[in-house]
Amino acid sequence: MIEIYHNTLPVCILPKEEHNVDIDYELVCDIVETLEPEILRLHTKTDTNYSSEWKNDKDDELITRWNKYNIFNIHHPALHPVFQVIMKGIKQFAEHMTLKNNIAYLQAWATVTRKNSKIYPHLHNFKWVGHVPIRAEPSVTMYHWKNKKGEVLEAKIENKNGQLQLVPNVNHQTTIWEQDETRITIPFDVCDTSIWEEEDKDKTKPPMFPIYIE
């Protein structure tokens, strides 16, 4: 379903009951936690626009490696249902939003948030941003953007495991994670073919792959 917040921000919310895809949440969490040390050895420089709240010591977190790998290039069958959910959400969102054509590009990674930490306010670099909570209850994702009058607006959306959220690229963050076990999500970016246009052709691209939106 598409919800419009403050008459300006469209958000695709795709609950488990609607996408009907079975995800093995514990197995996906195990995969991410097993891969985490290897991914953390990747170069730390990131192009994400983090707020000043994001401290330097966050370089040891998985989110800062978002553009160094694509989680769906890891060949494990437990990840395929997550990909299915994402594709269903993208196709639903595309019915309400504009893409240059039916070809888009997908980049996806994993986040691991530990007790008493959170994901700080930040922007992504591409057209749409989304995530699938894998182990993220209870937590809330907050989106912030400005209307035409320059007023800052906010939407707070509760994270439910398996329930996709997909929005245009706006500033977002999470509440503090208070559980002992790690909080794990699969975030993703969607961009259209404009990324290959003249002004962008020399920019470094993460390991995206093309998808077809019917």
Side-chain angles (χ1 to χ4, degrees), residues 135-163:
R135 183 200 291 146
E137 299 178 15
S139 69
V140 172
T141 297
M142 287 125 13
Y143 300 96
H144 300 94
W145 69 100
K146 292 182 179 180
N147 62 15
K148 292 181 179 180
K149 297 179 180 179
E151 300 167 327
V152 177
L153 304 176
E154 179 182 69
K156 297 181 178 181
I157 302 178
E158 182 180 358
N159 289 299
K160 297 181 181 180
N161 295 340
Q163 177 173 285

Side-chain angles (χ1 to χ4, degrees), residues 57-108:
D57 61 7
K58 294 298 179 184
D59 271 352
D60 65 354
E61 291 192 3
L62 212 57
I63 191 173
T64 62
R65 311 305 199 276
W66 72 274
N67 59 349
K68 303 303 177 186
Y69 71 104
N70 192 315
I71 192 74
F72 295 124
N73 285 335
I74 297 165
H75 302 296
H76 195 294
L79 295 172
H80 187 255
V82 184
F83 176 76
Q84 287 181 290
V85 172
I86 290 172
M87 287 301 300
K88 287 188 175 187
I90 290 172
K91 290 177 180 180
Q92 187 176 112
F93 203 47
E95 294 177 2
H96 296 263
M97 304 296 288
T98 301
L99 288 174
K100 296 196 75 170
N101 51 46
N102 287 352
I103 300 296
Y105 294 86
L106 178 68
Q107 165 66 4

